[in-house]
Structures are given as structure tokens and as C-alpha cells.
Amino acid sequence: MTLTPRKNGSRRGGGRRRAVFALACALGITGGVVLALDLSSDEPRTPALPGHPAPSPSDVPSPGAPGIGDPLMPLDGNGGYTVRRYTLDFDWQAPRTPFAAATTVSATATQSLSRFDLDFAGNTLRGVTVDGVPARTARAGDELVVTPARPIARGRAFTVRVAYTADPTLHRHRTDAIQDYGWVPTADGTVLSPQPNGARMIFPADDHPSLRAPFTFHITTPPGLTAVANGRLVTRAPQRDGRVRWTYDSEHPVAPQLVQLAIGRFDVVDGTGPHGLPLRDVVPQGLVAETRAYRALTPDHLAWLEQRLGPYPFRRYGVLVGDTELPVALETQSLSVVPSADLLGDQVAAERNLVHELTHHWTGDSVAIRRWSDLWLSEGHARFYELLYADTRGGPGLADMMRSAYEQHDQWRHDDGAPAEPHEEGLFRQMRYDGSALVLYALREKVGAATFERVEKAWVTTYRGRVAGTRDFVRLASKVAGEDLTGFLTSWLYGSHAPPMPGHPDWRVDPVEPVEPGGEGGEG
């Protein structure tokens, strides 16, 4: 996601479960290990029968955890299963109008499950089945708790179908760069902006950036509208009533926050990128000619980034022009959203946004972050290459931008946490952008440009299609550079003060000014 300069500014849980999560987070335990701890007292244990050994703990049905224990957002994601595929069925009617929807989640149990959760917010629930059999449900905050008719054995594949009435006006607000997220209505349809955890307002999900699965999309629209989604158009099938059913396949696993599903009066403009890469731009009718000049630069942007990061990691790419009041661009996988205003203004600013979102497809989309505190790896890389590109195209100089960021670094650390130690409320503020790009700049100054480029290519190649975090980056950078960079990078990524900048002994950090009570602090 691109941060643009502008001013910006409860979890529920009860008793034993909240205490378990607090302990798990303190111990750095997530996923399946948390599940073993979360044995709620209201779930019956299977007693040992006379002459029979007691079942092993892994075979006793127990609840899947309501989150994976991410320290910043502990209820994001769910435990007890892994998702193998999502299938979304949307019967779209009109802008801001509720419509019939269903999500089918194909999953595999990683423990013996008495019940499990899906992240699901708002919308009117119509019914839930597990393997075709109605299941009991309860809703608590953003958790949809599903109790199947019979426990699900560890290792067994199962299918959950959630039928609901979708509300395409649902959105939430953050005081950082994200601002409004969820559904983004347009004059004739919608686009999606799910980051950071707004997918749950659109479909029931295992909603954390480290948890990915392939998607199939079935969207039925009135005549005259076009539906687009991540990946490849499989079929466009006219229906007897004149409506049209569109089917897309994501082609790659996608994190819920990177799902895109847009509906409107669009023109789809096909093209070709480096090495024959299929390009697909989706543009509101009437804006094709006006946005063509900047959209036509995508092949150049791809070639420039491939020189520095290696081959593009997906099967296609394109730009979805968002003709909305959405103030930010977003790296939805294989189809980045870029506001129309960005493509109708200054070229340097437009290219910065275009390169930023494209860079995310290497770092953030392909190499997914392990936990939210690793966001600096995603946004910092996107900002760094955005600025490096602009430096060669008449934009602000990279060194000048990094010196300015260095001067403000302690203030950003004070307001919103060090690069790898964010506060939840300031997750998408300036520190995760310019402040995190500064960490990469410092590394380049430390090891030299040639070694830095080898580190970067190794990073996106080694972890292509995988999940990785801060420790992985520090370890890999040390290996490629041939020196232990743990101490150097730790001082940059954690703590309250910016270290000296290698090669720039004259750079100084401004003193920290306390934020006024009630002030929001930072920019976003």
C-alpha cells in the first residue's frame, strides 16, 4: 500500500481464553501450539474406558484457537485447520445494495476439532454447513464460531459453506495511512480495499497476511457490467435472465488482505510485458485514453524491477484504475488498485505509486510477512524502490529523502514504534514507509551497493511463494554479505534511537518532541 502525505491521527475475549492468548503471545507461541493450550473448560473430555488407554491429547476433540496469536492482532487468523481453497459466489445487484453471497472454505484439520472459528464481520448470516450437514454457529465480535454436527478428526479434509447476505457498504476506519478499508463503493459498482484485516467484512476467512490459499471467484452481474478479480478469467457465461456469470481463478495462493474483486462499467485493456508476461489493465469507461500514458509505463517498470529483484513472481499483472474517493493505492495481487487521480496528475508522483505497488508483488505478495511486526519488510522495500526509481526519473534524490527520514527517525520511533516494533494503531504510519526504507538504505551503505543487490535478489528468490520474517532477513543478509549483521540490523530495527548512518557522520537526528495529549502523531 502506498502512503500519501496527509495528517492522521476492543478486542473481546473472555477469561480463560484471553489468559491463554496472553501467555501464548508472551512466549511467542502461535498456531498449532496455541491450540494445545486452548482447551476451554466447557468442552467435554473423552473419558478413558475400563481396559482402554486414554486417548492421546492430539486425538481429543478440542476447539480451534480463535486467532494465531500475532502480538499486534492476536485474533487475526484462526487455529486448528489450514485452508486449501476459497470459493466465493456473489450474486451482485447494484451499488450499496445487499446481495446473496456464499463462501465455501475447503480446509484440512491440523488437530481434532470440536469447533473452529472463521473471521467474519457484519453481513447477515443465513446458514452454515460442514460437509453438507448443518452446523451450530455463534457470533462474537469478528469471530464466527462453527460447531459441526460431529468432531473433525485431525488430518481430515472438510468443507464449510457459509451462506449470507453481503453488505457492500461495510467498511472501517483507521487513523494511519489505511484510512477507510473494506468495501469501496463506486458510482456503478465496487472495488475492494481489504488491508489490513478487512477481508472479513467481505467473506469469512482465515484473515492474516501469513495465511494464503487459492481462490475461485463466481460473480454474477447485471448486463452491461464487468466483474474482475485476481488472476485469470476462466469463463464469461451469459445467463437466461440476461445476467452474466464471471469465473476467475487466482492462479496462486492469495492472502485475504490482497484479494481483489471489482465490479463496474470497465474496459479491460490487454497488453504484454517483458518475456511475454500478460498484462491486464481494468479502467472505468471514459478514463482509458486519459490514463493510457502512465499505464503504458508498466513494461518499463517491470523490466527495471526485474533487473534488481529477479523475475516477476506471478503469471500476470495489471492496474485497476479506482475511480473512487479511495485515497490510497493497494497491491492487491496481480491487479494493483491505483486511484484515478494519481494517473491524471504529475508523472513523477504517478510513477512512484505505480512502482511502489508493483514492488510489493515481490515483497509482500510473493514473500509474505510472518507477523504484523514484519510489515517493515513489505512497506520498506516498496518505498525504497519507489524512491530509487524516482531518483533516476527526475524525482527527489534518494540520499536527500533518506537524510530527511534520518532526521525524523527518533520522532517516528517515539510516536509509532521502531521499524520492527510497531504499535497496532500506528502500524501504517511513516515509520513503516520512509523509516523502514531507511533501514535498507543503511544496510546498503554498510555492505556496498553490489552486495546489497545480491542480498535483495537472494531474499525474493529464497522466499518466493513463502512466508518470512525479520529474523529470516537478518540471517540471509548476514550469509550473503559474509559477515554477521545481527548487531547492526538489530540496532536499526529495534529500540528508541536511530544508530549512526554508515558513511554519513554528519547526519543528525532531530530531538523528540512529545505529542500533545489527544494528538494523533505522525503522518499517514
Side-chain angles (χ1 to χ4, degrees), residues 12-195:
R12 99 282 172 269
R16 188 171 181 176
R17 177 166 291 177
R18 186 164 52 197
V20 167
F21 261 93
L23 173 62
C25 292
L27 295 176
I29 298 172
T30 59
V33 180
V34 172
L35 305 180
L37 293 171
D38 187 25
L39 302 176
S40 301
S41 59
D42 60 342
E43 291 295 326
R45 301 277 192 131
T46 303
L49 298 176
H52 292 76
S56 72
S58 63
D59 294 330
V60 176
S62 58
I68 66 170
D70 189 304
L72 262 66
M73 302 183 192
L75 291 180
D76 281 8
N78 302 283
Y81 62 89
T82 57
V83 177
R84 291 179 287 112
R85 177 172 289 273
Y86 295 94
T87 301
L88 308 187
D89 286 275
F90 284 0
D91 190 17
W92 178 265
Q93 299 299 315
R96 303 178 183 274
T97 302
F99 62 91
T103 295
T104 302
V105 181
S106 302
T108 301
T110 56
Q111 69 173 78
S112 185
L113 284 169
S114 60
R115 70 175 188 235
F116 57 89
D117 285 23
L118 289 163
D119 298 314
F120 192 45
N123 301 294
T124 302
L125 188 65
R126 296 302 182 192
V128 177
T129 61
V130 177
D131 292 333
V133 179
R136 290 192 293 114
T137 60
R139 303 192 74 170
D142 285 358
E143 300 297 320
L144 172 60
V145 184
V146 180
T147 302
R150 302 186 66 176
I152 301 170
R154 179 165 59 98
R156 187 167 77 78
F158 64 99
T159 300
V160 186
R161 186 177 188 274
V162 182
Y164 57 104
T165 299
D167 179 358
T169 66
L170 279 177
H171 67 277
R172 290 177 176 172
H173 183 76
R174 292 178 60 91
T175 60
D176 54 19
I178 295 291
Q179 299 192 35
D180 293 331
Y181 64 106
W183 293 93
V184 182
T186 65
D188 49 27
T190 189
V191 299
L192 301 185
S193 185
Q195 195 179 64

Side-chain angles (χ1 to χ4, degrees), residues 209-502:
S210 67
L211 304 173
R212 300 184 285 190
F215 279 75
T216 299
F217 303 87
H218 300 301
I219 311 112
T220 304
T221 65
L225 296 184
T226 297
V228 296
N230 310 83
R232 176 177 65 93
L233 175 63
V234 178
T235 59
R236 177 188 179 278
Q239 307 296 289
R240 291 182 177 180
D241 61 359
R243 291 167 64 81
V244 179
R245 190 172 193 252
W246 309 77
T247 297
Y248 286 85
D249 179 79
S250 68
E251 301 182 297
H252 299 266
V254 184
Q257 66 155 345
L258 300 176
V259 165
Q260 186 54 255
L261 187 158
I263 299 166
R265 299 188 184 280
F266 295 128
D267 285 327
V268 178
V269 183
D270 293 319
T272 304
H275 324 296
L277 179 75
L279 299 181
R280 169 191 58 158
D281 289 345
V282 179
V283 190
Q285 293 175 359
L287 289 177
V288 175
E290 291 87 340
T291 61
R292 180 180 292 120
Y294 297 162
R295 290 189 292 103
L297 298 171
T298 294
D300 293 339
H301 298 159
L302 280 160
W304 187 86
L305 282 166
E306 285 192 332
Q307 288 180 349
R308 288 153 182 83
L309 297 174
Y312 175 74
F314 298 104
R315 294 181 187 171
R316 67 195 69 244
Y317 184 66
V319 171
L320 167 61
V321 179
D323 192 20
T324 72
E325 296 181 0
L326 180 72
V328 296
L330 183 64
E331 65 275 14
T332 45
Q333 192 167 298
S334 78
L335 187 62
S336 293
V337 184
V338 180
S340 58
D342 292 349
L343 299 174
L344 299 172
D346 174 73
Q347 180 168 341
V348 170
E351 288 198 80
R352 284 183 58 176
N353 267 3
L354 290 165
V355 170
H356 182 108
E357 305 311 332
L358 180 54
T359 301
H360 271 304
H361 282 70
W362 281 266
T363 63
D365 291 16
S366 176
V367 183
I369 60 173
R370 191 177 302 282
R371 54 172 58 185
W372 278 116
S373 59
D374 299 318
L375 183 64
W376 78 272
L377 283 164
S378 177
E379 295 298 349
H381 272 99
R383 180 68 105 208
F384 179 84
Y385 287 100
E386 163 201 336
L387 294 175
L388 184 63
Y389 182 88
D391 187 18
T392 67
R393 300 298 195 278
L398 177 64
D400 291 338
M401 291 293 290
M402 293 295 91
R403 182 167 188 165
S404 176
Y406 187 76
E407 291 169 353
Q408 301 174 76
H409 222 246
D410 280 5
Q411 186 70 55
W412 295 339
R413 287 172 185 256
H414 173 272
D415 294 345
D416 299 310
E421 284 188 321
H423 310 314
E424 191 278 334
E425 65 275 10
L427 186 58
F428 287 88
R429 290 205 182 128
Q430 209 74 40
M431 178 56 90
R432 251 50 66 190
Y433 296 86
D434 298 86
S436 298
L438 186 70
V439 176
L440 298 173
Y441 182 82
L443 177 61
R444 192 177 77 154
E445 296 298 286
K446 167 76 171 174
V447 302
T451 298
F452 176 78
E453 188 166 306
R454 292 200 303 273
V455 169
E456 293 291 275
K457 285 183 177 178
W459 174 245
V460 298
T461 301
T462 301
Y463 292 103
R464 177 172 174 158
R466 298 168 59 191
V467 173
T470 300
R471 291 182 181 179
D472 300 309
F473 184 82
V474 173
R475 189 162 44 241
L476 182 140
S478 298
K479 179 180 178 180
V480 173
E483 61 175 304
D484 188 355
L485 295 167
T486 304
F488 175 80
L489 286 170
T490 297
S491 65
W492 275 97
L493 291 168
Y494 303 95
S496 58
H497 298 288
M501 174 60 70

